[in-house]
Amino acid sequence: MAAAVLALLTLSPPTTVLAAGTDVGVTVDGATDPTSTPRPGWAAPVPGALVAPFDPPARRWLPGHRGVDLAVAAGAVVAAPASGTITFAGPVGGRPVVVVDHGALRSTLEPVLPSAPVGSTVSRGDVVGHVDDDATVSHCAPEHCLHWGVRRGEAYLDPMALLGGAPPIVLLPVP
């Protein structure tokens, strides 16, 4: 019986969560399941249009987009998406990155030049840095964007789900 139930679980890869041009600079409240509904205390780190949605790889080692890209201007202020502690601020692969540990989840923000030191406690909306003026460090070059990734342990999550912008997981019948 358990095998039959497991066979019914079909998790499709996430699709475009919000249409390009959708403003995500809002704070929402809701339930606590980060897979499909908003979480209390979360907000987008910048106001801006979603330019590239979460597109996780089929296998951990394959290429994919393990976060979302939000359109921003060079030098834009970047805020903590939720309360936490800055646990890393420095270069990774030639790009400036800020990591905020929120407890069970952690956010990575790039390319962000930090304005607060490692160990700083931040609340949702506190400034953690500014988008690097150098567009060549952005994977959206020649445009600027903020890449926002969220992880629980080693698993990447769709950051838009924290704002209520991801589709729910649906059980499908076996054909």
Side-chain angles (χ1 to χ4, degrees), residues 105-171:
L105 304 178
R106 69 183 177 277
S107 292
T108 56
L109 305 160
E110 69 170 272
V112 176
L113 299 168
S115 60
V118 170
S120 298
T121 300
V122 293
S123 296
R124 181 189 72 212
D126 287 352
V127 175
V128 296
H130 297 81
V131 173
D132 194 328
D133 290 340
D134 182 359
T136 63
V137 299
S138 171
H139 61 265
C140 295
E143 303 299 322
H144 289 278
C145 69
L146 173 80
H147 178 82
W148 176 26
V150 175
R151 288 173 68 173
R152 175 187 289 129
E154 296 302 312
Y156 287 90
L157 305 176
D158 184 348
M160 300 309 292
L162 300 169
L163 305 177
I169 294 173
V170 179
L171 298 179

Side-chain angles (χ1 to χ4, degrees), residues 8-61:
L8 292 175
L9 295 175
T10 304
L11 301 177
S12 6
T15 56
T16 300
V17 176
L18 296 176
T22 301
D23 184 9
V24 295
V26 296
T27 302
V28 294
D29 292 321
T32 58
D33 178 7
T35 59
S36 63
T37 55
R39 291 186 56 136
W42 284 82
V46 295
L50 178 68
V51 294
F54 182 69
D55 185 19
R59 301 278 189 252
R60 280 190 336 200
W61 59 87

